[in-house]
Amino acid sequence: MELTFEQQSFAFLWSIPLGAALGALYGVLALIRFAFNSKKSTVIPLDIIFMLLCSLCVFYFSLGFLDGYVRIYVILGVLIGFFIYRLTLGRLLHKIFKPIVKLTRGIIVAIFTKIELIAKKLLKISFKVLYNIWVRIESFNSSRKLKKSRRNKYGKKSNGKKAAGAQRRA
């Protein structure tokens, strides 16, 4: 089935906003990478996911507008929309959000630094408390052993001699 010029131009014109939307998605992914100081190990999978999403969007767009035929002018329209967004509104939003992300990251780092210091102090205090409890338990046990060794089973101090009852049984 042949597509009319009207259908083709309609698809081309609607592919430009699709490209702008994909540019916005790329901007969000770029801000996420910037916010979390992403390395190559996370950038590559994010880029692959972005490319897969772009290809699915272009396919479904072509399915809806062009009966499933992916045409070069649709891809060209998507690229035009993507670059228009990235070079205009994308740059502006990046300049706005970059300081906000830096400030937020600084606040979060400061909060976690304070939490870390408090946790270290609490651990140090709890260690001292547990150590003191352990020392008291040990001193209590050692004093009990010492007292136990000096007394017989009736609680009387033994002088090293066997009790009279023990001699009779033997």
Side-chain angles (χ1 to χ4, degrees), residues 141-153 156-160:
N141 285 339
S142 63
S143 68
R144 275 187 58 200
K145 287 180 184 176
L146 185 62
K147 287 180 182 178
K148 229 180 192 181
S149 65
R150 291 185 186 166
R151 299 183 180 270
N152 61 15
K153 66 179 181 179
K156 296 182 180 176
K157 288 185 180 178
S158 63
N159 53 6

Side-chain angles (χ1 to χ4, degrees), residues 109-124:
V109 166
I111 289 171
F112 278 108
T113 304
K114 295 286 185 185
I115 290 173
E116 183 181 10
L117 289 174
I118 291 170
K120 283 182 179 180
K121 286 182 182 179
L122 287 175
L123 285 173
K124 192 180 251 186

